[in-house]
Amino acid sequence: MKISDLAGPETEDLSAAAAIDIGGIASDSRKVKPGDLFVALSGTRADGSAFIADAVSRGAAAVAVAAGSKAEASVPVIPVAEPRRFLALAAARFYGRQPETMVAVTGTAGKTSVASFTRQIWAHAGHAAAMIGTTGVVAPGRNDYGSLTTPDPVSLHELLAELADAGVTHAAMEASSHGLDQARLDGVKLSAAAFTNLGRDHMDYHPTVEHYMASKMRLFDTLLAKGAPAVIYADDEWSGVAIEAARKAGLDVRTVGRKGEYLTLKRVEHFRHKQTAEVHVGDAIYEVHIPLAGDFQVANALVAAGLAMSTGVPAAVAMAALEKLIGASGRLELVGHARNGALAYVDYAHKPDALENVLTSVRPFTTGRVIVVFGCGGDRDKGKRPIMGEIATRLADVVVVTDDNPRSEVPEVIRSEIMAAARGATEIGDRAEAIRSAVRMLQSGDTLIVAGKGHEEGQTVGTVTLPFSDHAELLKALEELDR
């Protein structure tokens, strides 16, 4: 493909290097192959211009840099106004193919579940569907573990082309605030988008919660075409802001939840392994038996149903599909139970609102105590640590504070910052031992939540990621208990 083919009405004039043929695009110099276009991005840790020489040494045919940059190279240098947006649009044009129906969901919590549930509803309706998100990629004949909520543009569009070539017609993806702020989704052709909620998260990246929300709203005010459906959960503190942003952008606002007008939740009955919800869709009333625990899962299911219906799935089909949902990996996932009947779950909750939601959700069907094991990650928002400590001790009966992913921080310091607001909590640094200790406490009627890592299969200590699975450790501890 010639560099001129990467230009569009919203990108710069690339005529200076128009005739150059490129074989690929890269923003990481280590991934450059001979004949590639290298796009130099400025990041929080390094300026991509510093790696131009490395990219050229690996065979880059041309280099794109921020307009005004004084970077020089032995190959053509192309100035672009917004390198990140240029990269996303260029990657979309280079790979050229996407599933016909694409949707994205943003919010602090629930993105993975909504993307997963939307895929399942589409599949129930007979579509070849996929999801892309924190847990990886799920599609017909494909289940790849992943680690990034929103992949970089080049990886994303390579993946979308693969899915389209494999016959996938519908795909749901998560849209993180980082991904939106860094324009990673700018080349995705969205049919609809959704907002779940907003809580404290990523305050190490966003200077204010308003900036955090504004980044998420790029999904509505920048990426979604005017008139397209915007499905918004109506019962969150920030729902009004999302609704206003969507309406200002000229979108078709469709609210769901207890205050929702598109899908109205009238009643919910909670059970240990399921919930019964009464949902009104226009004049029709559906009694839906959702096979998942947790009030927040009802919210996620409604957002997913709203997305599916907004992309052509009949209401009756969507409501029927909700009764067959399988929870996303590590999202209030029931791992097992002790011989005395006590339940043990793994949940990905690693931020204040998510921890509060999961602890609140299990209380209605817990006749004994709620026990929680959790920690906080290193090199991330430190301000949330005492907040989560307070939430845990307020909403759980027994709290065990342990290590999450310490990364480059001292684990004892992280735990001490949690413990400062976690009066009465027990501190056990070794996560496996913390889980075993909590399991040994289980009595009849108790519910145990191991929170923070969910589907993850490793624990990062320093610069090394060691094999570790909450699911596996919890299962092992339950088996030891029953011997």
Side-chain angles (χ1 to χ4, degrees):
M1 176 180 284
K2 294 186 182 300
I3 285 182
S4 58
D5 296 326
L6 301 180
E10 68 291 287
T11 62
E12 290 74 9
D13 178 6
L14 308 181
S15 57
I20 296 177
D21 279 307
I22 61 165
I25 304 172
S27 60
D28 183 336
S29 66
R30 296 167 298 184
K31 296 181 180 180
V32 169
K33 297 183 180 64
D36 281 359
L37 168 66
F38 175 64
V39 182
L41 305 178
S42 294
T44 55
R45 297 181 180 177
D47 186 340
S49 297
F51 302 98
I52 289 176
D54 182 50
V56 172
S57 72
R58 295 172 188 267
V63 174
V65 300
S69 170
K70 297 181 180 179
E72 297 180 351
S74 58
V75 298
V77 176
I78 307 166
V80 295
E82 299 178 68
R84 289 188 180 279
R85 180 167 166 77
F86 169 75
L87 174 66
L89 297 174
R93 292 191 174 98
F94 181 82
Y95 287 100
R97 303 172 306 286
Q98 303 177 21
E100 298 166 17
T101 301
M102 291 285 309
V103 302
V105 55
T106 195
T108 300
K111 296 186 296 295
T112 301
S113 292
V114 170
S116 174
F117 295 168
T118 304
R119 181 198 68 79
Q120 292 178 57
I121 298 169
W122 279 334
H124 180 83
H127 300 296
M131 75 155 285
I132 304 164
T134 308
T135 56
V137 180
V138 179
R142 179 171 184 167
N143 192 341
D144 302 339
Y145 177 81
S147 59
L148 284 178
T149 303
T150 307
D152 71 87
V154 177
S155 300
L156 174 60
H157 285 285
E158 183 178 16
L159 170 61
L160 293 180
E162 289 175 5
L163 293 174
D165 291 345
V168 170
T169 58
H170 291 62
M173 65 179 296
E174 298 180 47
S176 68
S177 62
H178 290 69
L180 290 165
D181 188 54
Q182 296 171 8
R184 295 182 210 163
L185 281 80
D186 281 35
V188 180
K189 297 175 183 177
L190 296 172
S191 301
F195 170 79
T196 57
N197 51 59
L198 193 84
R200 184 190 175 101
D201 198 21
H202 303 307
M203 289 298 103
D204 53 325
Y205 179 88
H206 300 283
T208 65
V209 69
E210 288 77 17
H211 182 275
Y212 178 37
M213 182 63 175
S215 295
K216 290 191 173 296
M217 288 302 95
R218 281 196 79 248
L219 184 59
F220 291 161
D221 61 37
T222 302
L223 303 187
L224 204 55
K226 186 172 292 188
V231 178
I232 298 174
Y233 179 59
D235 303 333
D236 186 68
E237 179 183 353
W238 287 82
S239 298
V241 177
I243 290 169
E244 181 181 357
R247 285 181 176 156
K248 187 176 180 180
L251 304 178
D252 178 5
V253 175
R254 303 183 176 191
T255 55
V256 305
R258 289 179 172 83
K259 299 177 183 177
E261 296 178 355
Y262 186 60
L263 297 178
T264 309
L265 178 63
K266 290 292 187 179
R267 176 178 57 84
V268 180
E269 291 183 59
H270 303 280
F271 302 93
R272 296 184 90 188
H273 304 299
K274 68 174 185 178
Q275 299 171 85
T276 298
E278 181 183 312
V279 183
H280 291 211
V281 185
D283 295 330
I285 300 175
Y286 296 89
E287 184 174 278
V288 184
H289 303 283
I290 300 175
L292 301 167
D295 196 55
F296 63 92
Q297 291 288 40
V298 175
N300 293 335
L302 290 180
V303 175
L307 281 172
M309 290 166 57
S310 295
T311 51
V313 177
V317 175
M319 293 300 112
L322 297 185
E323 301 201 343
K324 299 182 179 180
L325 291 179
I326 298 172
S329 176
R331 273 62 179 175
L332 199 54
E333 180 180 356
L334 180 62
V335 174
H337 53 79
R339 188 172 295 171
N340 58 23
L343 302 176
Y345 293 87
V346 164
D347 191 82
Y348 190 50
H350 58 282
K351 44 204 144 188
D353 285 14
L355 185 63
E356 183 163 358
N357 285 340
V358 72
L359 293 177
T360 302
S361 292
V362 300
R363 182 62 74 179
F365 57 78
T366 301
T367 57
R369 303 169 301 167
V370 173
I371 303 172
V372 63
V373 176
F374 83 103
C376 290
D379 302 332
R380 299 293 186 268
D381 177 14
K382 296 182 180 182
K384 72 180 181 182
R385 295 169 188 173
I387 296 174
M388 292 181 69
E390 186 279 327
I391 289 171
T393 50
R394 173 165 48 87
L395 298 177
D397 301 292
V398 179
V399 177
V400 180
V401 174
T402 188
D403 291 342
D404 191 281
N405 292 312
R407 300 185 177 90
S408 70
E409 289 195 62
V410 178
E412 292 82 359
V413 172
I414 298 174
R415 297 197 303 271
S416 70
E417 292 173 350
I418 300 170
M419 292 292 292
R423 184 175 298 177
T426 299
E427 181 179 352
I428 302 175
D430 185 301
R431 193 172 180 92
E433 178 54 37
I435 292 171
R436 284 194 295 271
S437 177
V439 167
R440 289 194 292 266
M441 298 178 193
L442 287 172
Q443 300 171 7
S444 179
D446 288 352
T447 298
L448 168 61
I449 304 291
V450 179
K453 293 177 62 60
H455 64 284
E456 294 179 358
E457 297 180 356
Q459 182 178 35
T460 304
V461 181
T463 58
V464 179
T465 299
L466 305 170
F468 192 94
S469 163
D470 279 355
H471 187 285
E473 292 298 332
L474 183 52
L475 194 60
K476 187 190 306 181
L478 288 168
E479 291 172 349
E480 290 174 357
L481 183 69
D482 289 339
R483 285 175 188 166

